[in-house]
Amino acid sequence: MPGAITSWRERGGRRARLALPFDDIMEIALALLSLSPAELETLGWSFKDRKCLLDHFLASGRQAQRTDPAALGGTQLDLRLPLRDVRRLRAFVHRELPKAASNAALLDRLGKALDVLP
């Protein structure tokens, strides 16, 4: 049976809080889904790595359910990402997201939010 520290490391260790508007979260999730196997390989990711990141973004849906649908698009939601996934997200933002994002302001907002994380 693994110890507490081993289990903690397997879950990704320390977590960072990332607050983004719901619309940005959904656009990033769609861009993650659109990655081809070749693009995943370029990032050095497996399908499991992408699924792990997507799970964090989709978990924000639970918060979104408690929000008024009319105000949902701009509502800030919190993501709690393990630091290893923050590193993966940074690589994605710099290499692949500019190709898939339909909104340049999204890139600026996400870049600024990631810059303040450890």
Side-chain angles (χ1 to χ4, degrees):
M1 183 163 118
I5 291 179
T6 303
S7 296
W8 179 71
R9 283 188 183 131
E10 287 173 358
R11 288 191 311 267
R14 284 187 24 214
R15 293 185 174 265
R17 181 181 162 272
L18 181 65
L20 292 170
F22 178 78
D23 286 347
D24 289 356
I25 291 170
M26 290 301 107
E27 186 164 350
I28 295 164
L30 289 171
L32 284 167
L33 282 171
S34 72
L35 289 174
S36 70
E39 291 166 328
L40 285 174
E41 187 175 323
T42 300
L43 287 166
W45 293 4
S46 65
F47 282 95
K48 182 180 176 184
D49 295 332
R50 174 176 56 186
K51 182 189 178 305
C52 187
L53 251 176
L54 275 169
D55 287 345
H56 297 300
F57 283 89
L58 296 177
S60 67
R62 286 191 280 284
Q63 291 177 18
Q65 288 178 339
R66 297 185 299 264
T67 304
D68 175 27
L72 185 59
T75 301
Q76 292 278 341
L77 299 176
D78 289 335
L79 300 170
R80 305 273 302 161
L81 301 169
L83 291 182
R84 83 165 168 240
D85 290 335
V86 170
R87 289 188 293 272
R88 286 185 185 132
L89 187 57
R90 281 185 178 126
F92 173 68
V93 167
H94 293 297
R95 291 185 184 168
E96 299 299 327
L97 189 57
K99 298 175 196 172
S102 63
N103 183 349
L106 161 70
L107 296 171
D108 292 338
R109 285 189 298 271
L110 183 55
K112 288 176 185 175
L114 288 171
D115 286 345
V116 298
L117 298 179

